[in-house]
Amino acid sequence: EIVLTQSPATLSLSPGERATLSCRASQSISSYLAWYQQKPGQAPRPLIYDASNRATGIPGRFRGSGSGTDFTLTISSLEPEDFAVYYCQQRSSWPLTFGGGTKVEIK
Amino acid sequence: QVQLVQSGAEVKQPGASVKVSCKASGYTFTDYSLHWVRQAPGQGLEWMGRINPNGGGTNSAQNFQGRVTMTRDTSISTAYMDLSRLRPDDTAVYYCAREDSLKGDCFDPWGQGTLVTVSS
């Protein structure tokens, strides 16, 4: 099973600041990584697929990068609605797995 | 629009089974696989398994093998997830999500979630 490790667990930032979230895979997953955003009481929604492609309707301030074992989600300038929990997920091999999540909170 | 609507909340006793439904609309049901993901209170996301509505083939996580059964009824565009021998630590919100094969197989959209509470 591929383990995804997200860091940091919590990121405390102010609106307008840049957020950098990391996801590391226990073995190479090529570019088969997606990122999801989840707000309290809501289902997750996709942000990025295949490491760097934005999902439908996702604004340009969200950028995904990386391949192999190291991946990054960057939010260039945090908007109030971006404070949420972010998960990475791999589809390289069964079972599909999620990272433990990074909470982006208001400082 | 593409939508997944799940059945309502359930309260079950330990040892019982629960069946959660996921009704799809806005697309051809048999063209996309459906996944099941759960989230315990205050915890992260856990992938449980998936069903290919075209044929009914399934894959499931080792943690759930022997306890989870995924089925579908193509006549009503509905998928089902049956979890047996429930334990208190199965208390969670259960989501279905469509695998979008046009976008890197990412999960889009998700159902609204079904809270399953296991308690005596």
Side-chain angles (χ1 to χ4, degrees), chain A residues 4-66:
Chain A
L4 297 179
T5 302
Q6 291 189 241
S7 62
T10 304
L11 203 48
S12 299
L13 295 168
S14 301
E17 289 193 295
R18 180 186 193 91
T20 303
L21 288 66
S22 172
C23 177
R24 178 164 290 176
S26 59
Q27 64 191 75
S28 177
I29 58 171
S30 185
S31 295
Y32 298 132
L33 188 94
W35 290 94
Y36 297 86
Q37 177 193 68
Q38 187 180 33
K39 296 180 181 179
Q42 296 183 16
R45 70 157 177 163
L47 298 175
I48 301 287
Y49 64 91
D50 287 348
S52 61
N53 298 286
R54 276 189 297 276
T56 304
I58 301 304
R61 64 181 181 272
F62 291 92
R63 188 172 80 90
S65 61

Side-chain angles (χ1 to χ4, degrees), chain B residues 24-84:
Chain B
S25 60
Y27 71 98
T28 302
F29 180 65
T30 50
D31 282 354
Y32 298 85
S33 290
L34 281 169
H35 293 250
W36 291 92
V37 176
R38 77 176 185 180
Q39 186 170 39
Q43 301 302 307
L45 302 170
E46 181 179 21
W47 181 78
M48 299 179 68
R50 74 126 195 208
I51 183 167
N52 182 347
N54 185 11
T58 61
N59 302 86
S60 59
Q62 189 86 12
N63 286 352
F64 301 99
Q65 283 181 8
R67 288 209 300 145
V68 69
T69 305
M70 290 169 285
T71 57
R72 91 289 187 222
D73 184 339
T74 57
S75 69
I76 56 171
S77 299
T78 300
Y80 302 92
M81 187 282 299
D82 196 313
L83 188 62
S84 63

Side-chain angles (χ1 to χ4, degrees), chain B residues 8-19:
Chain B
E10 303 262 13
V11 179
K12 296 291 183 180
Q13 293 204 328
S17 296
V18 68
K19 191 169 189 174

